[in-house]
Amino acid sequence: MSSNDSLARLAAVIESRKPANGGNPEKSYVSRLLHKGPDAFLKKIGEEATEVVMAAKDVDHGADASKIVYEVADLWFHSMIALAHYGLTPADVVAELERREGTSGIEEKALRKAVARAEQEAPGE
């Protein structure tokens, strides 16, 4: 079983918990976050990202590295709720990562900066 299968199964569960698909905010954490709207799940993403950083810092000082895995799982989970809200899937993220495969991050960043500069120098053309 691949990790893509696991992500797809989780994405399907999240999709089923959308209030529009019958998810009950009183019985489902996912449904509750989706019902509250983007501010609720985006706040959770920020909190979880901070917890990833804090776990990594703890590992730098002797804590078990499994703390990072635990916190990244929470971050991914809440990110998947955001993806579902916006009509996206983990497969969309995997496709983007595959598109970037073999591309130098330094070169890609330089290209983005050059494109942004060109757009600022020639607005509205």
Side-chain angles (χ1 to χ4, degrees):
M1 196 144 312
S2 78
S3 57
N4 281 346
D5 292 338
S6 298
L7 292 174
R9 282 194 311 277
L10 179 55
V13 169
I14 291 169
E15 190 68 27
S16 76
R17 300 283 166 47
K18 285 182 173 180
N21 294 334
N24 183 342
E26 294 186 15
K27 294 184 178 179
S28 164
Y29 173 73
V30 170
S31 186
R32 186 176 319 134
L33 280 179
L34 289 167
H35 178 76
K36 287 181 178 179
D39 285 351
F41 57 77
L42 295 174
K43 180 181 177 187
K44 285 301 294 181
I45 290 170
E47 290 171 4
E48 298 302 343
T50 299
E51 290 175 12
V52 169
V53 172
M54 291 168 38
K57 292 291 194 179
D58 288 347
V59 170
D60 287 341
H61 293 94
D64 188 327
S66 66
K67 286 184 70 171
I68 298 171
V69 172
Y70 182 89
E71 297 301 344
V72 169
D74 284 349
L75 177 60
W76 285 16
F77 175 75
H78 288 88
S79 295
M80 288 177 66
I81 293 171
L83 289 171
H85 175 79
Y86 294 108
L88 301 166
T89 67
D92 296 320
V93 177
V94 170
E96 175 61 16
L97 291 171
E98 288 172 347
R99 184 191 70 76
R100 295 179 187 186
E101 191 173 352
T103 302
S104 161
I106 294 170
E107 291 171 12
E108 193 268 339
K109 187 173 181 179
L111 178 60
R112 275 187 301 172
K113 283 184 177 181
V115 168
R117 262 195 312 275
E119 288 173 352
Q120 285 178 346
E121 291 170 2
E125 285 186 19

